[in-house]
Amino acid sequence: MLLGSDVRRMLPPPAMGRFGDLLAATTSDTSGLADDMSGDRDANAKLIEAFRQGVEQPI
């Protein structure tokens, strides 16, 4: 979550919009990103969700 928050602070608004779109596409249920990561799929899904929440939460 902290990494996502850091990313949000570093990106300028136009880039943040595009990054948000990309993040939504890659973290959808059909993306398989958690499956592509090494380790436990459920733990990976939780990490991805925490990152997404950090990116999307208001500063």
Side-chain angles (χ1 to χ4, degrees), residues 3 10 24 28-29 32-33 36 38 40 42 46-48 52-55 57:
L3 177 60
M10 290 187 310
S28 69
D29 291 335
L33 180 59
D36 292 341
S38 64
D40 180 65
D42 292 332
K46 289 178 184 177
L47 289 171
I48 294 167
R52 186 189 62 74
Q53 288 177 1
V55 169
Q57 75 180 2

Side-chain angles (χ1 to χ4, degrees), residues 20-43:
D21 293 342
L22 177 63
L23 184 61
T26 58
T27 59
S28 69
D29 291 335
T30 59
S31 73
L33 180 59
D35 292 326
D36 292 341
M37 296 167 62
S38 64
D40 180 65
R41 190 218 182 276
D42 292 332

